[in-house]
Amino acid sequence: MGLNLLALGSSRLPSVIRAAAVQGMVLGVLPLLMETKFHWMVGLVSVGTVVVKGFVIPGLLRRALRAASIDREVEPLLGFIPSLLLGAGATIGAVALGNALPLRPEHANLLLVPGAFATVVSGFLLLMGRAKAIAQVCGYLILENGIYLFGLLLITTTPLVVEAGILLDLTVAVFVIGIIVDRIQREFDTLDTRKLNTLRE
Amino acid sequence: MKELALILIPLAASGAAFAWPSERTRPWLLPAVGAVHVVLALTLLVTPPPLVPGAWFGFDPLARATLPAVSLLFLVCAAYAVAYLKLRSERRNRVFVAALLAMLGLLSLAMQSQHLGLLWVAAEAATLTTVPLLHFNGTARAFEATWKYLLIGGTGIALSLLGSFCLGYASLHGGGAGDLTFAALAAQGAALTRPWLLAAWVLLLTGYGTKMGLAPMHTWKPDAYGEAPAIVGAVLAGGMTTMAFVAVLRVKQVLDAAGAGEMTSRTLLVLGLFSMIVAALFLLGTPDFKRMLAYSSVEHMGILAVGAALGGAGMAAALFHVWNNSLTKGALFLSAGNLRRAAGGRTVNEVAGMAWRAPMSSRILVVGLLAITACPPFGPFFSELRIVRTALETSHGTAAALFLGCLLLAFFGMTRLVFAIVDGRPRTATRATGDHLRETAGTIVPPLVFLGCSLWLGLATPSLLRETWNVAASLLAPAP
């Protein structure tokens, strides 16, 4: 959850990407820590998550960043301090919400649910509050991380084929986003999404 | 076996299209696969296969009531695509053809899937395949539309994943064994944990509602439909949205079994009416005739939601409307695409006198306009009439009044725009572009076929289809 706040408070894009990457890797290792006995499919999904979320996607984003030669989010739509405060507020709210919702006894003390909700909200804040396309993609990644964290509650019961499908879809999604970012950069010569304003009523 | 072929044949053909060497002959794969798909879908419609209990996908009554419409829509659009891609031979069509075929396969999978997770995977994958279709034109405006589509659609689909997890947890907490097929979830009924169930409904309705384009999650639609080629608009407006509607219905079925039917119906009704109001107001104002079609699509999604919310006869009418919407929209999109190419512009300020420039397409657009705004004897008139009748019978008087008012406003808005571009004298700029945009049989026959289908659905609704809708509706919304 500290990583959420780092992503919200940081103005430098590389550190936002790093926050999302580290978060992804922690997520990948979590199922191994939660399971009492080792199952090879869980191990496979876990390794897949670490590689994809920790290395492949951040690598793609860094490449896009170099191509666009930008480093900072200079004028966010939502200031850094307000977004930090909102993020902290969301974390407190998520803990309260997690206590209010009925949980199975083995999940009650895990902080998984509050963590997931706080991460989802932080992702949303980044998605809405930033003007640079890459920061928005990071927001989307953090949002997905939060959802994935929530999905860990179900990892023992959902079939792993579905789990793998979800992971695959997310990867392709980010790939596609990356390609579009690249095209936008070439077409408009900027990654500032505020310039994307010709289509309106 | 056939239901699996519905999914695998388009996906395999998509791979083949990717490897196909010739730019000129590749588009012919589209109608070929479309024809096979239609034959398979119609065979399944006539002789539905037995359902395997516990299977992850199958041709159940709901798929039977909706999938053939999407299949027909795809075939006719595919025939148009051959002529269209010939006109646009300056752009490579490898990715376009492959993505269109993959989308058909994934839509078939999503509409047949009986498993919460599988439905999500298929829906998300189908969303991703549309991305290369949207920026086919390669203009700055097209990229802007694609970016907005990706962000809004991606967030919507992420929310529906969160909703799926919530529904899964509701089942787990209620003592379920982790079987996430819709039948198993519905069988759990009231044992599903209430707070998680409500969270799941809100998130799933927002998520799949974004895909459907219900207001206020509709904002991607005008951009995407305005910038994408006509075929893509038609397949999105008739196929993708239908798939999302089916997804909402499947989730609603689980919620209804858990005793939350009243709440789901009310939210759907409110969202549907709100979509209709928003769409009607925007239709009165927009100057762009391709964006007009997008708002009309939002309006019709609202109609579907209202019909589904009324349950029983309303649900059957909504399924009828799925067919009407898909096929009539096809005629509008394709003829509007013709006009757009002939005119070189898209707003009332740039385009006029199209009756003179492209007489056939203009006629089709006007007739299509009458069909979609529910003039008898076209299909939409009958399905909307049935929805209004159900609303009055179930004492939803205010809803019926709002419904009719929005239809009237939409009619004003659309006729204003269509006659503004069809009538009058052509602008000098467009007159100068010469005669190279002649209307060919390849671009005129497909929209005419759509109009014919719409007329046929209105005048002589096949009793087989009617029975299919009633069976699906009675399963989805058991009469109180």
Side-chain angles (χ1 to χ4, degrees):
Chain A
M1 279 188 235
L3 289 167
N4 290 334
L5 298 185
L6 174 66
L8 282 177
S10 173
S11 70
R12 292 194 62 240
L13 286 174
S15 51
V16 178
I17 296 178
R18 205 170 308 131
V22 173
Q23 204 176 41
M25 287 200 271
V26 172
L27 271 184
V29 182
L30 261 183
L32 289 181
L33 298 179
M34 280 170 58
E35 290 293 303
T36 38
K37 64 179 193 307
F38 186 78
H39 189 282
W40 66 273
M41 275 296 265
V42 176
L44 204 67
V45 170
S46 166
V47 169
T49 317
V50 170
V51 170
V52 171
K53 284 190 186 268
F55 295 99
V56 180
I57 296 176
L60 276 174
L61 287 176
R62 285 206 192 90
R63 232 189 61 190
L65 207 57
R66 267 202 306 279
S69 61
I70 38 169
D71 190 40
R72 277 174 186 282
E73 172 78 45
V74 193
E75 297 163 1
L77 303 177
L78 186 69
F80 296 111
I81 304 292
S83 46
L84 260 181
L85 286 177
L86 278 175
T91 313
I92 297 167
V95 174
L97 188 68
N99 285 336
L101 280 169
L103 290 174
R104 272 167 77 103
E106 68 263 32
H107 297 143
N109 296 319
L110 267 180
L111 276 182
L112 261 185
V113 176
F117 283 127
T119 313
V120 168
V121 175
S122 310
F124 257 123
L125 283 176
L126 265 181
L127 200 60
M128 294 185 299
R130 299 290 181 264
K132 290 276 187 287
I134 294 190
Q136 291 181 344
V137 176
C138 286
Y140 186 67
L141 270 181
I142 291 178
L143 175 70
E144 295 282 10
N145 281 345
I147 295 172
Y148 192 85
L149 189 60
F150 190 77
L152 288 182
L153 291 179
L154 296 170
I155 195 162
T156 42
T157 48
T158 33
L160 283 152
V161 185
V162 174
E163 203 87 7
I166 291 171
L167 192 63
L168 183 74
D169 266 358
L170 296 184
T171 321
V172 179
V174 176
F175 260 120
V176 174
I177 292 179
I179 294 168
I180 298 295
V181 165
D182 186 51
R183 296 275 178 84
I184 290 178
Q185 148 79 13
R186 265 188 250 163
E187 194 74 37
F188 291 87
D189 208 30
T190 175
L191 280 180
D192 193 331
T193 48
R194 276 168 303 183
K195 299 266 167 61
L196 300 177
N197 59 4
T198 34
L199 300 180
R200 55 169 64 199
E201 281 313 323
Chain B
M1 222 40 234
K2 287 199 197 85
E3 55 266 35
L4 190 61
L6 277 181
I7 301 162
L8 290 183
I9 290 178
L11 288 180
S14 161
F18 218 77
W20 200 272
S22 158
E23 287 278 325
R24 203 170 48 79
T25 49
R26 190 181 300 119
W28 286 100
L29 275 173
L30 289 171
V33 173
V36 174
H37 199 270
V38 165
V39 170
L40 280 174
L42 290 184
T43 329
L44 284 172
L45 174 70
V46 179
T47 50
L51 278 181
V52 191
W56 281 20
F57 70 92
F59 202 75
D60 68 332
L62 183 53
R64 185 172 166 229
T66 48
L67 189 55
V70 175
S71 184
L72 266 177
L73 170 78
F74 185 87
L75 173 64
V76 182
C77 283
Y80 180 90
V82 174
Y84 173 76
L85 289 172
K86 205 161 146 196
L87 285 174
R88 300 295 309 272
S89 51
E90 81 279 6
R91 294 201 69 87
R92 304 195 162 277
N93 59 34
R94 182 187 298 268
V95 178
F96 187 82
V97 173
L100 210 52
L101 286 170
M103 184 175 155
L104 176 67
L106 291 166
L107 283 182
S108 316
L109 175 61
M111 291 173 79
Q112 291 190 69
S113 74
Q114 309 289 331
H115 186 278
L116 191 61
L118 188 67
L119 172 69
W120 185 85
V121 170
E124 160 87 13
T127 308
L128 291 176
T129 55
T130 50
V131 170
L133 300 175
L134 287 180
H135 65 73
F136 178 70
N137 284 325
T139 57
R141 296 169 62 105
F143 281 117
E144 182 179 339
T146 315
W147 176 252
K148 289 181 177 167
Y149 173 78
L150 252 180
L151 271 197
I152 299 173
T155 312
I157 212 93
L159 287 183
S160 54
L161 178 61
L162 191 58
S164 302
F165 283 150
C166 283
L167 193 50
Y169 199 75
S171 150
L172 193 65
H173 190 265
D179 185 356
L180 294 184
T181 53
F182 288 108
L185 287 172
Q188 244 183 311
L192 295 166
T193 315
R194 192 80 177 189
W196 286 110
L197 203 62
L198 298 186
W201 172 247
V202 172
L203 291 166
L204 283 165
L205 185 63
T206 318
Y208 289 124
T210 311
K211 285 258 71 57
M212 241 177 113
L214 286 172
M217 293 87 77
H218 69 286
T219 44
W220 58 273
K221 252 185 176 177
D223 299 343
Y225 292 2
E227 301 311 316
I231 331 160
V232 179
V235 175
L236 277 177
M240 189 67 98
T241 51
T242 306
M243 179 274 283
F245 181 56
V246 169
V248 170
L249 289 185
R250 288 199 195 284
V251 175
K252 183 178 185 304
Q253 197 180 4
V254 173
L255 271 276
D256 290 355
E262 182 122 347
M263 188 266 306
T264 56
S265 297
R266 189 167 304 151
T267 39
L268 262 184
L269 186 68
V270 170
L271 215 52
L273 285 174
F274 182 65
S275 303
M276 291 183 70
I277 295 169
V278 168
L281 294 179
F282 274 100
L283 277 172
L284 286 173
T286 183
D288 180 322
F289 63 87
K290 283 188 87 176
R291 292 170 77 89
M292 169 193 87
L293 295 182
Y295 289 117
S296 164
S297 173
V298 174
E299 186 208 347
H300 285 270
M301 289 303 119
I303 294 176
L304 288 182
V306 170
L310 293 173
M315 181 73 81
L319 294 172
F320 183 15
H321 198 71
V322 163
W323 285 67
N324 290 326
N325 174 54
S326 296
L327 299 174
T328 318
K329 272 290 154 49
L332 281 170
F333 269 99
L334 298 187
S335 57
N338 287 346
L339 291 184
R340 158 86 188 77
R341 269 197 310 286
R346 49 169 74 270
T347 63
V348 274
N349 302 325
E350 300 160 343
V351 184
M354 291 315 291
W356 183 80
R357 282 281 297 157
M360 274 314 283
S361 303
S362 302
R363 278 177 214 145
I364 297 172
L365 186 67
V366 171
V367 179
L369 159 85
L370 295 178
I372 202 76
T373 49
C375 292
F378 290 99
F381 170 72
F382 294 98
S383 50
E384 288 171 22
L385 186 66
R386 248 180 251 180
I387 292 177
V388 173
R389 206 176 64 194
T390 320
L392 291 175
E393 278 167 2
T394 53
S395 60
H396 284 88
T398 328
L402 271 174
F403 185 93
L404 289 172
C406 289
L407 287 185
L408 190 65
L409 286 182
F411 177 73
F412 287 151
M414 290 181 74
T415 39
R416 164 194 69 90
L417 191 55
V418 167
F419 286 109
I421 60 168
V422 168
D423 284 343
R425 286 165 60 82
R427 300 267 187 267
T428 28
T430 57
R431 238 182 287 170
T433 49
D435 228 5
H436 65 280
L437 291 160
R438 262 184 309 121
E439 300 177 295
T440 55
T443 55
I444 290 301
V445 175
L448 274 180
V449 172
F450 277 136
L451 277 187
C453 287
S454 177
L455 200 59
W456 164 65
L457 279 175
L459 286 180
T461 324
S463 54
L464 172 70
L465 284 179
R466 207 174 292 226
E467 174 232 309
T468 317
W469 298 325
N470 287 335
V471 169
S474 62
L475 279 178
L476 281 169

